[in-house]
Amino acid sequence: MHHIPPFIAPTQHTDPAEALAQVQRIYHQQIDHLRVAMQRFVAGDTPSQPVRAFYPLVRVHTSTVARADTKLAYGFVEGPGHYETTLTRPDLFASYYAEQFRLLRKSHNVALEVATSAHPIPVHFSFAEHDHIEGTLSPERRMLMRDLFDLPDLASMDDGIANGTWQPRPGEAQPLSLFTAPRVDYSLHRLRHYTGTLPEWFQNFVLFTNYQFYMDEFVRLSQAEMNRPDSDYVAADSKLKCNTLVFNE
């Protein structure tokens, strides 16, 4: 048995904004559950049973190949069936999720079902910005943490959906997105790890390179952009050989 948050029943939505609000409600409930349990664990309290929380999900059901005509390559499903995906960081991806929900409604005129998934949230993906947990724990407590909380599982964070190699198990829903919530969380943590910059400060596209002369050129371009009096950028970060322009919205 696991100590989990109170159950939130699945809900059906025709309003994309209401669907997003429900995703946010579930996500914050689950994250708060993990954070409180971890704070108590760091303070020396040991839970009597393992602690677990789950990602929210969105699901659609279609019964026909018919859909609204669109020239976009996203915002619809290919044909009849059940489609779902787990979601994370609705604070960071709010506008993206709202747009996807709107397009799904426009394309198929079906309800958006929002629910709590069966996919656990690794506790490391629940940490707040300045949480540095493991450095405050003894080796014994760090080992015990593995028994009490879910940890990131790299085997479940592959790119099979995006690569076209994913195969559903009998009765399993089709994917509604190219990347699952744990895979997205893992990528967000990699951005912070490699650059020292929070994901909130990144633009939509990130280019990775291991050639220093490319980085020198990016730094030069960033400095030139920052020197423009009418520039929309407010900072440039070149930590760990990764150059990031920060946009002022």
Side-chain angles (χ1 to χ4, degrees):
M1 295 291 293
H2 288 80
H3 176 48
I4 62 176
F7 176 70
I8 296 179
T11 52
Q12 301 275 338
H13 303 273
T14 57
D15 183 346
E18 291 180 358
L20 175 60
Q22 184 68 0
V23 169
Q24 293 171 327
R25 177 190 175 201
I26 294 174
Y27 179 80
H28 290 304
Q29 179 214 34
Q30 302 291 317
I31 289 295
D32 289 346
H33 176 76
L34 284 179
R35 287 180 177 174
V36 169
M38 177 54 71
Q39 289 167 359
R40 291 175 177 171
F41 181 76
V42 171
D45 183 25
T46 300
S48 59
Q49 55 190 148
V51 178
R52 176 167 285 179
F54 303 91
Y55 287 107
L57 67 77
V58 63
R59 178 187 293 128
V60 296
H61 306 278
T62 63
S63 58
T64 175
V65 296
R67 66 171 187 261
D69 184 36
T70 178
K71 299 186 184 302
L72 298 175
Y74 56 90
F76 60 88
V77 297
E78 285 294 335
H82 306 293
Y83 298 81
E84 67 181 45
T85 187
T86 49
L87 302 173
T88 189
R89 293 298 304 272
D91 57 324
L92 189 61
F93 297 115
S95 60
Y96 172 74
Y97 288 157
E99 175 69 359
Q100 296 297 316
F101 292 172
R102 183 187 69 80
L103 290 173
L104 284 170
R105 286 279 302 138
K106 179 180 179 181
S107 295
H108 301 284
N109 194 32
V110 295
L112 303 167
E113 181 178 342
V114 177
T116 305
S117 75
H119 296 275
I121 302 175
V123 69
H124 293 81
F125 296 161
S126 73
F127 292 169
E129 176 183 347
H130 298 296
D131 285 348
H132 304 283
I133 301 299
E134 294 186 2
T136 65
L137 298 175
S138 67
E140 294 76 19
R141 296 289 284 179
R142 289 198 298 270
M143 186 62 66
L144 180 60
M145 185 178 75
R146 297 172 176 268
D147 294 328
L148 296 173
F149 296 92
D150 291 293
L151 302 185
D153 179 13
L154 296 183
S156 66
M157 299 181 195
D158 64 22
D159 296 334
I161 300 173
N163 292 339
T165 59
W166 179 86
Q167 294 293 329
R169 295 185 294 270
E172 187 175 11
Q174 295 288 326
L176 191 55
S177 66
L178 293 177
F179 301 100
T180 63
R183 182 64 177 84
V184 173
D185 271 336
Y186 179 61
S187 294
L188 294 176
H189 277 252
R190 290 180 73 187
L191 284 177
R192 180 178 178 182
H193 174 77
Y194 286 122
T195 69
T197 303
L198 293 176
E200 292 89 325
W201 291 102
F202 278 87
Q203 299 179 70
N204 289 338
F205 302 96
V206 180
L207 176 64
F208 290 97
T209 179
N210 61 350
Y211 290 101
Q212 185 58 44
F213 64 89
Y214 287 150
M215 294 309 306
D216 293 340
E217 183 65 12
F218 293 150
V219 170
R220 186 190 68 78
L221 290 171
S222 298
Q223 291 173 339
E225 180 67 28
M226 291 296 299
N227 288 330
R228 286 178 46 219
D230 60 341
S231 176
D232 289 322
Y233 295 95
V234 297
D237 179 14
S238 57
K239 296 177 182 177
L240 299 178
K241 300 184 178 179
C242 179
N243 187 247
T244 306
L245 277 172
V246 178
F247 186 70
N248 184 8
E249 294 186 314

